[in-house]
């Protein structure tokens, strides 16, 4: 469904601009393109396999290697919880 938004972003801080776009592109290319004018690219990490702290998904890896700006990888809450056990 084009135009539908099945999720919502949490409210941004008072000085954090948030822009939502719908693009027809692979996630990898879309993130690298979006980072061309960015000071920082922030991506999530859900963790893959049996060692979620050790492995990054292919989109996160591409962002780290191809983005023209610094990249911050933020672990998911699920990854954080699994590391507490």
């Amino acid at each position: 469904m084009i135009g539908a938004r099945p999720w919502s972003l949490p409210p941004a801080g008072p000085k954090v601009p948030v822009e939502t776009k719908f693009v027809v592109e692979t996630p990898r290319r879309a993130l690298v393109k979006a980072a061309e004018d960015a000071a920082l690219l922030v991506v999530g990490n859900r963790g893959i396999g049996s060692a979620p702290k050790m492995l990054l998904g292919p989109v996160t890896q591409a962002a780290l290697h191809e983005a023209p700006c610094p990249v911050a990888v933020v672990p998911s809450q699920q990854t954080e919880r699994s590391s507490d056990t």
Side-chain angles (χ1 to χ4, degrees):
M1 291 170 49
I2 295 177
R5 197 167 147 188
W7 48 267
S8 63
L9 293 171
K15 296 182 181 181
V16 179
V18 175
E19 183 178 334
T20 304
K21 289 183 180 182
F22 179 84
V23 296
V24 181
E25 191 73 74
T26 64
R28 174 186 189 153
R29 284 190 183 188
L31 283 173
V32 171
K33 277 185 187 178
E36 287 176 356
D37 297 323
L40 176 68
L41 175 62
V42 180
V43 295
N45 174 31
R46 290 181 288 165
I48 297 175
S50 61
K53 289 197 285 187
M54 302 285 288
L55 299 174
L56 300 175
V59 174
T60 301
Q61 286 182 359
L64 286 168
H65 293 284
E66 299 174 23
C69 64
V71 177
V73 180
V74 180
S76 71
Q77 290 179 351
Q78 181 180 4
T79 303
E80 288 175 357
R81 273 187 244 131
S82 66
S83 67
D84 292 339
T85 57

